[in-house]
Amino acid sequence: MKTLYLLRHAKSSWNNPNVPDRLRPLSGRGRRASALIGRYLQNSNDNIQSVVSSPARRAVDTANLVLDAIDGAPLLQQDESLYFGGWPAYLDVIHSLPDSVDRALLVGHDPDIHSLVLKLAGLGTDKALGALAEKFPTGALAVLEFAGSDWGDIVPGTGHLRAFIRPRDLSLQRFKA
């Protein structure tokens, strides 16, 4: 079985309108949301083995803050095609993952990541599917499971949406040590 974690970058800062889109940093809210998602993943004990991010600063910063919260986190890889390459580019990155990896995290942008999850999720709880259909907010994480053992076999409609987690759903109290 393969498990795919798809994370939209957290809230970015618009304090300086002269900063190019690709270089926009996270806001304070975005940094807090990234840490929350990281603690959620650490507590889930899912042992993510591979992380691929868009090279945009807000995506890389989100990924790094998430990884900072995970014991034994893998090294972050960046892939240019995840910077607004469209949902098919995300699927290409998924297909290129080594089959020795069972759990992978991709960090990217809306609308591509939202479109991809909507296409892949053939099954899931009504609550998760309903929340996903409504919106994929910044910092949200979709967790999809696939029955096969090859990333290359993943096609639209074959995923089971195990969870859809929005930062607002997570309580700071829940993850205190």
Side-chain angles (χ1 to χ4, degrees):
M1 179 184 320
K2 300 294 185 194
T3 305
L4 181 63
Y5 303 81
L6 294 165
L7 177 62
R8 182 178 174 195
H9 69 78
K11 185 84 174 157
S12 62
S13 174
W14 290 87
N15 287 343
N16 184 347
N18 296 322
V19 172
D21 178 74
R22 187 181 182 106
L23 300 178
R24 265 190 296 122
L26 292 178
S27 67
R29 183 174 132 199
R31 288 188 298 277
R32 289 187 298 276
S34 299
L36 272 175
I37 292 293
R39 285 194 297 274
Y40 169 84
L41 288 170
Q42 170 64 27
N43 289 334
S44 71
N45 294 315
D46 282 352
N47 190 27
I48 293 171
Q49 300 165 297
S50 180
V51 181
V52 184
S53 174
S54 156
R57 179 176 175 189
R58 61 193 179 276
V60 171
D61 289 352
T62 297
N64 281 323
L65 286 165
V66 166
L67 292 174
D68 285 348
I70 299 173
D71 293 337
L75 294 176
L76 175 63
Q77 301 170 48
Q78 296 179 35
D79 191 302
E80 187 66 38
S81 66
L82 297 184
Y83 184 64
F84 299 116
W87 72 264
Y90 283 71
L91 193 56
D92 288 345
V93 169
I94 293 163
H95 288 164
S96 72
L97 291 167
D99 289 328
S100 60
V101 168
D102 290 324
R103 291 166 303 282
L105 167 66
L106 270 60
V107 183
H109 307 272
D110 197 37
D112 298 347
I113 213 153
H114 190 194
S115 297
L116 176 68
V117 177
L118 289 171
K119 294 206 181 295
L120 293 178
L123 299 170
T125 66
D126 289 341
K127 181 179 177 182
L129 289 169
L132 173 65
E134 180 183 315
K135 185 178 179 183
F136 203 115
T138 54
L141 175 72
V143 183
L144 292 125
E145 294 178 332
F146 299 88
S149 60
D150 297 332
W151 291 107
D153 293 340
I154 292 176
V155 295
T158 60
H160 177 265
L161 183 63
R162 186 176 85 194
F164 183 61
I165 299 101
R166 300 166 292 195
R168 72 176 191 212
D169 299 331
L170 300 175
S171 161
L172 285 170
Q173 295 297 325
R174 183 176 172 193
F175 297 105
K176 282 190 177 174

